[in-house]
Amino acid sequence: MTTQETLLDIRALRKFFPVRKGALQRIVAQVKAVDGVDLSIRAGETLALVGESGCGKTTTGRTILRLIEPTSGEILFRSRSATGDIAGNMTDVATATPAQLRLLRRDMQIIFQDPYASLNPRMTIAEIVGEPLKIQGLVPSSEREARVLELLRAVGLGADQLRRYPHEFSGGQRQRIGIARALALKPQLVVADEPVSALDVSIQAQVINLLQDLQEAFGLTYLFIAHDLSVVKHIANRVAVMYLGRIVELAPTEELFGNPKHPYTEALMSAVPVADPDFKAERILLAGDVPSPVNPPTGCHFHPRCRYAQEICKTQTPTNRATSEQHFVTCHRADELSLRGVRAS
């Protein structure tokens, strides 16, 4: 499979959570966590999904993997063929049967945000990393430990740590264990759900470099969920900006940072630190709080907090359109606004 082929194609993905009230627990509203997301990920790339806390990033990632059931939409994944060829047919994960989903688990894995809560404290590291191999039956029990050791060495750990338990490791080491477990089945796609946000800054750099090295060594494709744009700038090929359950901008990383087209992206960029003591960036503080996903604003969801909003923004929902070959934005005023990016460091 070439790097230009689409590995994952998400179409009109929605995930609504019901709000229930009363003795009969009737549904009185819906939390629109993911509201019509369209997104494609190419094989071999790192696509970053960024936005404020509560915008629907993690829900999107987990819904793609069917860890959360989607409300509607298509999640088309290029699964392996029966011979193991990675250039297989597109399978809709959203409607996959349990048997199909079991096979898809080999190709789609996740690295969780919390490196401690995601590991079973009663299992040794050998058991944790070897569990996917045991469940899928891919490696005989006699060879499983050797495969686990191979995975641990790939993430910078050694044989002397096989019999230890999660509480005996640091946060960075625990995240390396989580990465090893995610790679056990040799997946094509890895959803990295804020994998460094719970780590110290010095350890973050080590884990990011490790993820990049593993991507090259194993031919991985990443959906990298994050809120730290400094990390995203370092690791991502393309960036999708999410606000209140919708993608508002999508572009190659360099273009997005240098030439943002959406006012929300501009506000996020203003918070990125620049390694230049003489450069004084204006911090854009968004007015008000993030609207409730139960009752989102009419028109453009961002208009109550946008300093460029006009009447059309309040009444008409903007369409997603291309401003260049690979740059897409959902904003009525994208063509007339001159927004500021991040100065190159």
Side-chain angles (χ1 to χ4, degrees):
M1 182 183 295
T2 68
T3 55
Q4 297 303 311
E5 288 184 299
T6 299
L7 180 67
L8 182 70
D9 191 11
I10 304 163
R11 302 176 184 175
L13 181 64
R14 289 179 170 82
K15 177 57 188 178
F16 296 169
F17 294 96
V19 177
R20 301 177 184 274
K21 283 188 177 181
L24 298 179
Q25 289 293 286
R26 290 179 176 151
I27 298 175
V28 296
Q30 298 276 2
V31 177
K32 299 177 180 179
V34 180
D35 191 10
V37 167
D38 294 306
L39 205 58
S40 292
I41 303 178
R42 303 169 191 145
E45 78 166 337
T46 298
L47 175 67
L49 185 60
V50 304
E52 294 172 288
S53 296
C55 72
K57 305 185 302 293
T58 293
T59 302
T60 299
R62 296 192 178 198
T63 304
I64 289 170
L65 300 177
R66 279 277 297 273
L67 298 179
I68 299 174
E69 290 293 327
T71 300
S72 64
E74 294 180 301
I75 308 166
L76 303 177
F77 181 76
R78 193 176 296 279
S79 56
R80 298 177 196 263
S81 64
T83 59
D85 181 7
I86 61 173
N89 297 322
M90 283 288 198
T91 302
D92 188 355
V93 180
T95 58
T97 64
Q100 290 174 320
L101 204 55
R102 181 184 177 87
L103 292 176
L104 285 168
R105 296 290 182 222
R106 301 180 183 183
D107 288 331
M108 307 172 74
Q109 287 292 315
I110 185 170
I111 301 169
F112 293 98
Q113 178 178 359
D114 189 335
Y116 189 74
S118 62
L119 303 178
N120 190 331
R122 298 187 178 185
M123 296 174 69
T124 65
I125 302 313
E127 292 171 331
I128 289 171
V129 178
E131 189 175 28
L133 300 171
K134 180 180 179 181
I135 291 172
Q136 292 283 346
L138 296 179
V139 178
S141 56
S142 59
E143 302 175 16
R144 197 174 299 145
E145 187 167 305
R147 171 62 178 157
V148 169
L149 182 56
E150 180 185 334
L151 288 163
L152 290 179
R153 285 174 175 161
V155 299
L157 300 175
D160 59 321
Q161 295 160 319
L162 281 170
R163 308 297 172 212
R164 297 184 184 178
Y165 291 85
H167 72 272
E168 300 179 76
F169 293 87
S170 67
Q173 289 175 319
R174 286 196 289 264
Q175 195 60 291
R176 289 172 185 265
I177 295 164
I179 293 170
R181 178 179 59 186
L183 298 182
L185 300 175
K186 299 181 179 180
Q188 295 184 75
L189 174 70
V190 175
V191 175
D193 183 11
E194 303 206 35
V196 298
S197 64
L199 306 178
D200 293 337
V201 174
S202 60
I203 305 301
Q204 286 183 9
Q206 295 177 20
V207 174
I208 289 296
N209 290 334
L210 173 64
L211 289 172
Q212 290 182 307
D213 292 341
L214 292 172
Q215 182 175 37
E216 185 174 347
F218 292 92
L220 300 171
T221 303
Y222 290 139
L223 174 61
F224 191 88
I225 298 170
H227 63 267
D228 187 339
L229 291 177
S230 299
V231 172
V232 166
K233 189 177 182 182
H234 181 69
I235 194 173
N237 302 110
R238 291 188 301 148
V239 181
V241 181
M242 194 169 192
Y243 183 78
L244 212 62
R246 295 179 178 177
I247 303 296
V248 297
E249 188 164 7
L250 172 66
T253 304
E254 186 175 345
E255 183 173 345
L256 187 86
F257 276 76
N259 185 28
K261 294 291 187 181
H262 197 283
Y264 178 60
T265 308
E266 180 193 33
L268 294 179
M269 295 296 179
S270 74
V272 178
V274 176
D276 183 350
D278 297 323
F279 180 67
K280 304 298 181 184
E282 178 193 353
R283 181 72 171 91
I284 300 173
L285 299 177
L286 297 176
D289 297 323
V290 179
S292 170
V294 176
N295 186 27
T298 57
C300 174
H301 283 358
F302 186 61
H303 85 258
R305 308 174 74 195
C306 180
R307 57 181 179 170
Y308 308 110
Q310 294 183 340
E311 193 60 32
I312 188 176
C313 305
K314 302 175 184 179
T315 57
Q316 295 184 26
T317 302
T319 57
N320 185 34
R321 55 195 176 88
T323 60
S324 65
E325 186 178 355
Q326 297 187 68
H327 199 152
F328 301 87
V329 63
T330 306
C331 177
H332 289 298
R333 305 191 63 197
D335 293 330
E336 57 185 288
L337 297 177
S338 179
L339 306 183
R340 292 157 298 172
V342 175
R343 181 173 173 175
S345 57

